Amino acid sequence: MAKHIEVKNLTKIYTNVDKEFKAVDDISLSINKNDIYGIMGLSGAGKSTFIRMLNRLEEPSSGEIYVNGENIVELPKKRLLEYRRKTGMIFQHFNLLSSRDVKGNVAFALELAGWPKNKIEPRVDELLELVGLEDKRNVYPSQLSGGQKQRVAIARALANYPEILLSDEATSALDPRTTVSILELLKNIQKKLGLTIVLITHQMEVIRKVCNRTAILSDGKLIEEGSTKEIFLNPKNELTREFVSHIAPETENKKEKMKITGKQMLKLNFQGEQAEKPYISDMVKKYGLDVNILGGTIDELADDKVGHLLVEILGSDTDRNSAINWLKENKIEVEEV
Ligand SMILES: Nc1ncnc2c1ncn2[C@@H]1O[C@H](COP(=O)(O)OP(=O)(O)OP(=O)(O)O)[C@@H](O)[C@H]1O
């Protein structure tokens, strides 16, 4: 995969009164071309500061950001403007101009970029079709729903054929159903236009639905990074585990009880097609065991699925061990919890 954005030791220090505060603390990561790269963290983790440094709406205190191999931290003003034009951005509160109608809002980005007048209208029509708003071209933002406003903002962000789209909590102000439709739109335009999308969110659902790679931030630091599949399948950090919690509260109680009674609970991690195959019933038949199923989930990811099952396997130690080995031979991860 070709690297599109490479961030090296990026740090942002704010000075409040005379105290220094690291909002982003020495983050290094790589984003490939055509990724939908999710950055997740709690409020105050540094997500906004991080993404705003990617187009230098925020100036880094130190570190480098290579985009197609060029360090954009060092870009002179004119080149920075050009780069920003090729890096669209959408926001939680849409940032539309209330005095302009839908077509005027989209045209604004083209006017700023110096497009000739006769080329603006056909491009606006093309963009409105792309986001499904052809019939709203003469409507003002105050007459639009949140989802429609975000579609206008997306059309505007795509106006100058960007290679990168930055999304700053674009679905946070939307209801769940509208969130899904905007995420679907992002997924479609990514494919259609070959974009690289970087999005920040505090919702793991957003990551699950659209992102192929994910970074988790906490207190300005990168605490985990990898394919979304790996993060859902095998979260390493405590906080990531919490975000991807596969274990319902009642199962947590059972887990505590089992600890007290000395019983062993296993977590089985399935991926892709495995998540739908009847491994447990096959294992029961093969080894003559009993299995107590304590909980389970299947997470549908953007382009894959992962499943988790919490079980207690009842039988002799030898049969149990053989069954566990058989699961492992079938490439199912088995974890003692
Ligand atoms: N201009 C600023 N001056 C001082 N501190 C700031 C400034 N901007 C952000 N911060 C601080 O930096 C930290 C990270 O903020 P940031 O907005 O990047 O976090 P976030 O993860 O996007 O949070 P949220 O989801 O709440 O927006 C916070 O503690 C915030 O108070």
Side-chain angles (χ1 to χ4, degrees):
M1 283 283 179
K3 271 185 197 165
H4 198 167
I5 305 172
E6 202 176 1
V7 172
K8 288 190 179 169
N9 308 107
L10 194 63
T11 296
K12 176 72 188 184
I13 300 173
Y14 289 116
T15 310
N16 292 333
V17 195
D18 35 81
K19 255 192 169 169
E20 285 198 338
F21 173 77
K22 277 188 185 167
V24 169
D25 190 357
D26 197 24
I27 290 185
S28 299
L29 53 83
S30 294
I31 299 170
N32 292 323
K33 203 158 178 43
N34 299 337
D35 271 349
I36 301 189
Y37 193 99
I39 298 173
M40 158 88 188
L42 298 174
S43 186
K47 308 180 293 294
S48 282
T49 308
F50 180 84
I51 203 167
R52 289 166 64 83
M53 286 195 281
L54 295 187
N55 60 359
R56 282 184 50 198
L57 285 181
E58 205 70 69
E59 288 296 344
S61 303
S62 60
E64 290 128 58
I65 303 167
Y66 293 93
V67 176
N68 293 324
E70 184 176 31
N71 185 4
I72 62 120
V73 176
E74 288 171 354
L75 287 183
K77 239 187 178 159
K78 189 161 170 282
R79 276 285 300 122
L80 179 61
L81 276 178
E82 285 165 14
Y83 165 71
R84 283 211 183 120
R85 224 157 263 157
K86 291 282 165 202
T87 310
M89 189 161 190
I90 52 174
F91 305 87
Q92 180 175 359
H93 297 297
F94 326 120
N95 298 3
L96 300 181
L97 299 169
S98 57
S99 59
R100 282 185 170 222
D101 61 9
V102 165
K103 64 178 181 336
N105 265 282
V106 180
F108 191 57
L110 301 167
E111 290 164 21
L112 284 181
W115 278 54
K117 268 209 168 99
N118 62 338
K119 295 254 166 73
I120 290 182
E121 201 174 319
R123 178 66 182 147
V124 169
D125 287 344
E126 198 173 79
L127 288 157
L128 291 181
E129 194 188 324
L130 184 69
V131 299
L133 281 185
E134 305 95 310
D135 57 336
K136 299 282 182 209
R137 60 197 312 281
N138 299 315
V139 168
Y140 283 82
S142 60
Q143 297 161 285
L144 296 174
S145 70
Q148 289 165 338
K149 284 181 194 162
Q150 197 56 286
R151 282 171 191 266
V152 179
I154 291 170
R156 184 184 56 186
L158 298 175
N160 289 300
Y161 301 100
E163 292 174 10
I164 297 171
L165 179 67
L166 305 176
S167 166
D168 185 347
E169 296 276 8
T171 56
S172 293
L174 304 176
D175 65 62
R177 194 191 278 180
T178 312
T179 294
V180 170
S181 77
I182 294 295
L183 293 177
E184 282 301 320
L185 175 64
L186 290 178
K187 242 162 89 168
N188 289 340
I189 56 173
Q190 185 284 321
K191 273 211 190 89
K192 209 164 179 175
L193 309 177
L195 290 172
T196 299
I197 299 182
V198 185
L199 66 83
I200 64 167
T201 179
H202 61 273
Q203 297 166 300
M204 210 60 196
E205 272 304 279
V206 170
I207 300 277
R208 180 178 74 73
K209 286 205 171 84
V210 292
C211 299
N212 64 315
R213 291 188 73 79
T214 300
I216 311 284
L217 302 194
S218 174
D219 292 329
K221 294 191 178 68
L222 179 69
I223 58 167
E224 190 151 358
E225 202 262 345
S227 75
T228 304
K229 181 172 161 183
E230 191 52 35
I231 283 188
F232 270 82
L233 194 63
N234 228 337
K236 292 183 184 65
N237 186 280
E238 196 56 41
L239 185 65
T240 319
R241 278 175 179 266
E242 211 178 287
F243 288 156
V244 188
S245 182
H246 313 292
I247 305 173
E250 74 270 20
T251 323
E252 282 290 349
N253 289 339
K254 278 187 196 148
K255 211 167 110 180
E256 280 311 306
K257 272 191 203 141
M258 291 181 82
K259 248 186 221 157
I260 296 164
T261 52
K263 290 181 183 166
Q264 189 194 21
M265 179 150 103
L266 299 174
K267 182 164 162 227
L268 312 181
N269 301 331
F270 302 87
Q271 48 183 311
E273 293 305 306
Q274 286 181 333
E276 286 174 352
K277 289 193 178 153
Y279 283 105
I280 298 300
S281 61
D282 287 357
M283 182 185 78
V284 166
K285 279 183 217 143
K286 199 170 165 71
Y287 295 98
L289 297 159
D290 268 333
V291 172
N292 192 4
I293 295 180
L294 304 163
T297 54
I298 295 183
D299 288 310
E300 301 272 350
L301 308 180
D303 47 14
D304 213 330
K305 52 179 80 133
V306 299
H308 299 272
L309 205 55
L310 285 160
V311 295
E312 181 191 14
I313 302 180
L314 307 163
S316 70
D317 281 353
T318 321
D319 288 343
R320 282 181 77 253
N321 288 337
S322 308
I324 290 171
N325 284 335
W326 178 81
L327 287 170
K328 288 180 179 165
E329 278 161 24
N330 280 285
K331 308 264 182 300
I332 292 162
E333 280 182 38
V334 184
E335 248 181 84
E336 278 188 37
V337 288

